[in-house]
Amino acid sequence: MSEPYSVRVTVRGYETDVQGHLNQAVYLNYAEHARWSLLQAAGVTQAQLRGRGVGPVALETTIRYQRELLAGDEVDVTCAFEWGTGKTFRIVQTIRKTDGTVAAEITGVGGVMDLKKRKLVADPREAFKEVASDLTFFGL
């Protein structure tokens, strides 16, 4: 894909803190929502993954906050996979206001766990290839 996958979210009042800012933990929820939305768009469901005995896992997450978000703000949350050669992959995400202002950048390291062995599978790309109907969402 030339542009990263993106999903729009509206900041809800109950997600804000006493200063009226989006609570810091909610940024993670938005990122997770975008990741699962991407999987769904690619034709991957939780049931399919569980049926194959695997599941995606987060190993590391870094959030860089750049601008505040307030109740009512609309944001686009992007999601792009970056593949290396090992058992892990990177996910790069941006939370951007509709005016183009970057509110946060989120980077993560993930893997695909064999749910019986409780260990990462050797090649996470193969786990997604087995169930996805559209690999372009994964950059494959």
Side-chain angles (χ1 to χ4, degrees), residues 54-65:
V54 297
V57 293
L59 302 170
E60 177 183 308
T61 304
T62 302
I63 304 173
R64 183 174 175 173
Y65 304 100

Side-chain angles (χ1 to χ4, degrees), residues 6 8 20 25 29 35 41 45 53 56 62 72 80 83 87 91 94 98 102 104 106 114 127 130 138 140:
S6 180
R8 182 155 290 176
N29 290 337
R35 289 191 299 272
T45 67
T62 302
W83 303 96
K87 295 180 180 182
I91 299 177
T94 302
T98 55
V102 174
I106 302 166
D114 179 312
E130 290 176 3
F138 296 100
L140 298 173

Side-chain angles (χ1 to χ4, degrees), residues 17-83:
D17 59 21
V18 70
Q19 292 97 324
H21 304 140
L22 182 65
N23 179 279
Q24 53 89 22
V26 179
Y27 287 82
L28 290 174
N29 290 337
Y30 288 4
E32 183 80 1
H33 173 64
R35 289 191 299 272
W36 280 105
S37 294
L38 179 149
L39 291 177
Q40 182 179 13
V44 178
T45 67
Q46 289 180 339
Q48 287 172 312
L49 293 168
R50 274 194 316 272
R52 293 196 174 270
V54 297
V57 293
L59 302 170
E60 177 183 308
T61 304
T62 302
I63 304 173
R64 183 174 175 173
Y65 304 100
Q66 296 189 14
R67 294 288 183 273
E68 67 183 358
L69 292 175
L70 307 172
D73 284 346
E74 286 191 330
V75 296
D76 293 312
V77 185
T78 65
C79 185
F81 282 70
E82 294 180 352
W83 303 96

Side-chain angles (χ1 to χ4, degrees), residues 50 52-55 57 87 112-123:
R50 274 194 316 272
R52 293 196 174 270
V54 297
V57 293
K87 295 180 180 182
V112 176
M113 180 181 284
D114 179 312
L115 298 176
K116 288 184 182 161
K117 295 179 183 176
R118 308 307 287 177
K119 301 218 180 256
L120 295 178
V121 301
D123 187 351

